[in-house]
Amino acid sequence: MAKARHTTFLSPVAAVSVSLLIVGVTGCASVYDQSIANIVVTDSYPLPSLVSESSGLYCLNNQALTINDSGNAATVFTIDSKARIVAQNTMEKPNVDWEAITASDDTVFVGDVGNNRGNRSSLSIEVINRDTMEFVRSLSIDYEGYKAGQNVPYAHDYDAEAMTRHDGKLLLFSKSWASRVSHVYEVNTDVAHQALKAVAHIEGLPGVITGADWDRIRQHYVIVGYASDPFGNFDTFLAEITPEFTVSKLWPLPDHNQVEGVCVANDGSYWVTQEAVGDSPATLLRIISPTPF
């Protein structure tokens, strides 16, 4: 539930922790390599109100699947390249905090994994039949070392909002508020309940990861995220990550706020969703990377 308005409910300790985190992150402008060609936003379309809290994105053909986060129905929407809703499928189950979506050839995976406050006792990956869009089952997940309710809200590492598939593996990326080092977890889709242990780490990012996809065209990961503060200010970024989980290229997105989802379209462009926050509307962006195919 990565909504800026929630930060107004932070405890004093959490607010101080987040403020210190953001000072440490945003005060380090040198993380951006000025020699790298600028990334280009070519198109921007307003998202319909039904998906104003878009929290995840998965591209398919010239469309994309998207979901809303907490407080919304358990619905998977299909949108076209101009952000128009062309289909929607609602599951008969709760959406506690849907934050990520990806798919294989026959299955859609939705991550009910939002945990900003660090107090959730139940996290899951929802498994959906891609052909019928019917709910199949839930994969119950936990983190090694996690204790629900014993974490400082917005200042811990047991949160996640990004998920993708690569090489047959379902990967979850942590939203590491505390360490600023994203932990990469592999989810075994054949195991009904599992405690996740990090298989890799991503260092050198200027904020938390909120969306991820595998770019099969360029053979790397693409992620989006931001640094934020308790006052609703955002410093957003997009990064390309090697298969070994090191940052290869990093760009600021200075004209955008709460980016939540990213996916790679068939033409190699990056689609990014921005959630509605404050005066900034919910938006679908099309971004062109200078990285050649």
Side-chain angles (χ1 to χ4, degrees):
M1 51 183 174
K3 301 180 179 66
R5 60 179 178 270
H6 289 167
T7 57
T8 59
F9 297 99
L10 290 178
S11 68
V13 172
V16 169
S17 298
V18 174
S19 297
L20 290 175
L21 167 64
I22 301 311
V23 168
V25 172
T26 59
C28 190
S30 62
V31 294
Y32 296 110
D33 186 345
Q34 300 303 314
S35 67
I36 295 177
N38 290 334
I39 203 161
V40 177
V41 178
T42 61
D43 298 290
S44 176
Y45 300 99
L47 284 164
S49 59
L50 283 176
V51 286
S52 63
E53 296 186 356
S54 171
S55 60
L57 202 61
Y58 176 75
C59 289
L60 68 169
N61 301 321
N62 199 35
Q63 299 179 333
L65 302 179
T66 192
I67 52 175
N68 288 312
D69 57 17
S70 60
N72 294 282
T75 302
V76 178
F77 296 88
T78 304
I79 59 174
D80 66 14
S81 60
K82 294 186 177 180
R84 297 170 296 202
I85 296 172
V86 296
Q88 52 185 299
N89 295 272
T90 301
M91 316 292 139
E92 293 184 359
K93 66 177 317 301
N95 169 357
V96 179
D97 196 0
W98 282 15
E99 291 288 357
I101 185 169
T102 190
S104 65
D105 290 340
D106 56 8
T107 304
V108 174
F109 301 95
V110 173
D112 196 341
V113 291
N115 191 30
N116 281 336
R117 295 181 178 276
N119 60 2
R120 286 190 62 181
S121 58
S122 177
L123 302 167
S124 62
I125 308 293
E126 312 304 354
V127 180
I128 299 167
N129 183 295
R130 182 165 168 171
D131 292 329
T132 65
M133 293 304 293
E134 294 178 345
F135 172 75
V136 177
R137 59 194 172 99
S138 291
L139 303 175
S140 175
I141 63 171
D142 199 353
Y143 299 108
E144 183 179 68
Y146 174 66
K147 295 181 180 179
Q150 296 186 23
N151 306 287
V152 177
Y154 299 85
H156 62 93
D157 278 13
Y158 301 110
D159 191 9
E161 294 190 4
M163 183 172 64
T164 190
R165 290 184 75 259
H166 170 50
D167 197 25
K169 299 175 182 178
L170 182 63
L171 302 174
L172 188 67
F173 298 76
S174 76
K175 187 179 182 183
S176 297
W177 300 94
S179 69
R180 288 182 280 162
V181 175
S182 181
H183 313 302
V184 183
Y185 300 99
E186 182 179 336
V187 180
N188 188 331
T189 57
D190 294 323
V191 176
H193 180 82
Q194 58 202 286
L196 303 180
K197 182 178 181 179
V199 297
H201 306 277
I202 304 175
E203 300 182 5
L205 294 171
V208 295
I209 296 176
T210 56
D213 196 15
W214 170 252
D215 186 341
R216 60 178 178 79
I217 300 172
R218 300 177 183 86
Q219 291 293 295
H220 60 214
Y221 298 97
V222 57
I223 63 169
V224 292
Y226 54 75
S228 63
D229 65 23
F231 310 104
N233 301 307
F234 290 87
D235 287 331
T236 65
F237 66 88
L238 183 147
E240 294 175 348
I241 308 293
T242 71
E244 294 74 36
F245 301 105
T246 59
V247 179
S248 60
K249 294 182 181 179
L250 179 64
W251 297 273
L253 296 174
D255 298 324
H256 304 286
N257 289 316
Q258 193 167 334
V259 291
E260 291 286 334
V262 63
C263 64
V264 186
N266 286 344
D267 64 359
S269 63
Y270 298 149
W271 290 16
V272 174
T273 51
Q274 172 183 284
E275 184 174 329
V277 55
D279 295 330
S280 299
T283 307
L284 173 68
L285 309 172
R286 181 170 174 262
I287 297 176
I288 305 300
S289 167
T291 302
F293 293 9

